[in-house]
Amino acid sequence: MFFRVVALILLFIFDSFYIYKLISLNKNAIKTNQMGIGNKAPKVLIIERLTIIATILVFFAELASIIFQKNIPCIQVQCIGLFFEILAIFFFSFATITMKKSWRVGIPEEKTKLITNGIYQWSRNPAFVGFDFLYLSICLMFFNIPLLILSAWAIIMLHLQILQEEKHLEKMFGNEYMIYKTHTPRYLGLKKIKIQI
């Protein structure tokens, strides 16, 4: 019961950062949710719409798994899952905070500022890393096959979304983004240091 309650609370905290950011930016007349809408290439729109469907379905699968899953793994596996859920909140919250007014859901039609400081020094996509850690954490704590399939689908769709966003950022920021891209990993890692002799 402890892991169910904590997992639900942490899931609520994770989603609260997402909702708070949407609301706070919308109050500043910033159109934040741009997933699957707008004048974008058909491939981009399809990927964004499938990403929306995948993330919504996995959210409900996570809730159902936390509440109803009967076969719970050993406490060590649940502790590892809990650790990843805390990491998910860390990555996602710091990503949304660091992005300030440049944060968008989907590929924006307007130009935003390229953020390369804070958590973005170690990952070009820390918010997506947060989602991936969240999916991993719930799978570890409340494993079942439907949850695994939906989580894997959501992770794949988020990866495809990242690839589309990278093309967009290359066009929008040009050389500035290309330099950032060469020094910062897509997902997670240490900043690459250029050594000159």
Side-chain angles (χ1 to χ4, degrees):
M1 189 63 164
F2 169 79
F3 285 99
R4 290 185 198 277
V5 171
V6 173
L8 281 172
I9 291 169
L10 293 177
L11 185 61
F12 173 77
I13 291 169
F14 184 94
D15 291 330
S16 294
F17 273 100
Y18 183 89
I19 293 165
Y20 173 77
K21 194 68 173 185
L22 284 175
I23 292 169
S24 65
L25 289 178
N26 283 337
K27 282 183 179 177
N28 290 312
I30 296 172
K31 184 180 169 189
T32 52
N33 189 358
Q34 300 185 27
M35 280 291 265
I37 57 173
N39 188 21
K40 301 174 188 175
K43 181 180 177 183
V44 173
L45 287 172
I46 290 168
I47 288 172
E48 286 187 346
R49 289 173 184 161
L50 287 173
T51 302
I52 292 167
I53 293 167
T55 54
I56 290 170
L57 288 176
V58 79
F59 171 76
F60 286 109
E62 288 171 338
L63 278 179
S65 298
I66 292 169
I67 295 168
F68 301 113
Q69 181 64 28
K70 291 189 185 245
N71 298 327
I72 304 297
C74 67
I75 194 164
Q76 292 87 350
V77 173
Q78 286 196 299
C79 286
I80 293 168
L82 197 57
F83 171 75
F84 277 107
E85 195 170 11
I86 292 166
L87 271 181
I89 292 169
F90 171 81
F91 275 89
F92 189 75
S93 63
F94 277 99
T96 59
I97 291 166
T98 305
M99 284 291 279
K100 297 179 183 168
K101 291 184 178 182
S102 292
W103 187 77
R104 300 291 185 277
V105 179
I107 295 174
E109 294 183 323
E110 77 279 7
K111 187 167 183 175
T112 58
K113 184 181 174 190
L114 180 65
I115 306 297
T116 60
N117 63 323
I119 198 165
Y120 285 88
Q121 295 176 71
W122 297 286
S123 171
R124 295 194 311 264
N125 301 286
F128 290 109
V129 171
F131 273 103
D132 290 348
F133 281 160
L134 181 68
Y135 300 151
L136 173 63
S137 72
I138 305 298
C139 275
L140 285 170
M141 288 190 283
F142 306 98
F143 180 81
N144 59 73
I145 297 300
L147 176 63
L148 176 64
I149 291 168
L150 288 171
S151 297
W153 180 36
I155 289 169
I156 290 167
M157 293 313 304
L158 290 175
H159 177 72
L160 294 175
Q161 178 67 25
I162 286 170
L163 297 179
Q164 295 302 316
E165 287 183 9
E166 286 180 350
K167 289 177 190 173
H168 172 75
L169 291 169
E170 286 172 12
K171 287 179 192 169
M172 185 176 281
F173 296 105
N175 196 43
E176 183 185 6
Y177 180 72
M178 297 306 288
I179 292 168
Y180 171 62
K181 190 176 173 180
T182 61
H183 296 293
T184 309
R186 177 179 287 149
Y187 287 105
L188 188 60
L190 297 174
K191 194 171 181 176
K192 298 173 188 173
I193 300 169
K194 206 173 191 180
I195 300 172
Q196 294 186 0
I197 301 174

